[in-house]
Amino acid sequence: MATLVEGLRRYYTPQEVAEHDTAENCWVSFFGRVYDLTPLLDANKSVLAQPIVDHAGQDLTHWFDAVTQDVKVHVNPATELRVPYTPMGRFIHIPPPEPTTDWVVDFEKPWWKDDKYAVGSLTRKTRKIRVKNMLTRQDHLLEVCSEETMAEVLDRYTAFNSHASSYTWKYTDSKEVGRVLDMAKTLEESEIPDERGKFDHLSIDDEYYIPTVHLYFADDLTVA
């Protein structure tokens, strides 16, 4: 697995990937990983870049074979040869349908097999959580990745409060009032269950109940 660049997350939501939807800022996902293809497009400004640009910010798993994780192939009816299946258009690192002197293999591996473009993983499931600051009485609704620890949720919350680390994070349920959360655990491990399955079964809107974590001021302000 590629080493993540400092400042990037372990997991991303589909919405976060979708925000990177231009040639100058192009992320895609496939097979549960997230890739930043911006450097690839910077280095390859030919027409072969267009199919990738057209699908920037999207999941490309359907471009690839689930077993080989290589580009899907089909039999060309004209030549009866197995060739890459690219209904979206031939793209970077896909050879031409017929031999040509213009085709130069100047890359070590195709981009879809190159971990240097990996920036993290795509979450298997997103969750919503409400964070309420008991000092300021402000609350914010966050969409987080189910695999993230509470510390990673805190990191997301710093977009709203740069001093989030100066607070004790607590959760109240039927078992305990104001239970201090272990920031190394996920929401599920913290016994903050995802109730959406029950809501769907009862035809209740997902927004009917969103778990709320309460923040209590703990010590001196951290550096902004």
Side-chain angles (χ1 to χ4, degrees):
M1 181 183 296
T3 301
L4 301 188
V5 177
E6 184 177 357
L8 297 179
R9 304 186 186 283
R10 288 193 308 140
Y11 291 94
Y12 293 92
T13 68
Q15 179 56 41
E16 287 176 313
V17 177
E19 292 169 358
H20 301 266
D21 60 354
T22 67
E24 294 74 27
N25 183 11
C26 176
W27 286 19
V28 299
S29 62
F30 49 93
F31 296 122
R33 299 297 307 282
V34 178
Y35 298 82
D36 180 359
L37 299 186
T38 309
L40 176 75
L41 297 178
D42 285 343
N44 296 271
K45 296 186 179 296
S46 71
V47 67
L48 297 182
Q50 196 57 49
I52 297 175
V53 175
D54 290 343
H55 292 80
Q58 300 179 33
D59 187 82
L60 307 184
T61 300
H62 61 287
W63 288 18
F64 306 99
D65 183 275
V67 176
T68 66
Q69 297 198 354
D70 210 336
V71 176
K72 289 180 178 179
V73 298
H74 73 140
V75 176
N76 185 321
T79 64
E80 297 186 349
L81 297 175
R82 288 170 62 84
V83 296
Y85 180 61
T86 56
M88 72 295 292
R90 181 179 161 222
F91 52 85
I92 297 170
H93 296 168
I94 292 292
E98 297 178 357
T100 174
T101 56
D102 295 336
W103 174 243
V104 179
V105 181
D106 56 355
F107 52 89
E108 184 177 340
K109 60 179 69 173
W111 59 263
W112 55 90
K113 291 188 174 182
D114 197 336
D115 274 351
K116 73 181 181 183
Y117 298 113
V119 295
S121 297
L122 187 69
T123 182
R124 294 188 300 274
K125 181 174 68 173
T126 62
R127 292 194 57 181
K128 288 184 179 179
I129 183 171
R130 193 176 301 281
V131 179
K132 186 176 181 78
N133 186 323
M134 300 305 289
L135 179 65
T136 65
R137 311 310 264 179
Q138 294 177 317
D139 66 82
H140 296 89
L141 183 64
L142 305 182
E143 182 179 46
V144 304
C145 302
S146 60
E147 303 89 347
E148 290 178 322
T149 64
M150 293 307 302
E152 289 171 303
V153 173
L154 182 155
D155 182 66
R156 289 181 177 275
Y157 178 67
T158 56
F160 304 103
N161 184 343
S162 60
H163 303 297
S165 295
S166 294
Y167 291 77
T168 300
W169 290 51
K170 299 182 179 183
Y171 180 70
T172 293
D173 56 17
S174 59
K175 299 179 181 178
E176 185 177 352
V177 175
R179 172 164 49 90
V180 176
L181 296 176
D182 183 341
M183 303 304 281
K185 293 183 177 181
T186 65
L187 287 168
E188 201 70 33
E189 291 169 344
S190 299
E191 298 184 44
I192 306 177
D194 185 354
E195 305 281 9
R196 288 176 296 182
K198 295 180 180 178
F199 290 170
D200 288 343
H201 180 70
L202 297 171
S203 299
I204 299 175
D205 192 315
D206 288 350
E207 304 291 328
Y208 175 75
Y209 171 73
I210 296 174
T212 299
V213 172
H214 297 91
L215 274 57
Y216 291 84
F217 183 71
D219 60 16
D220 294 336
L221 292 179
T222 55
V223 177

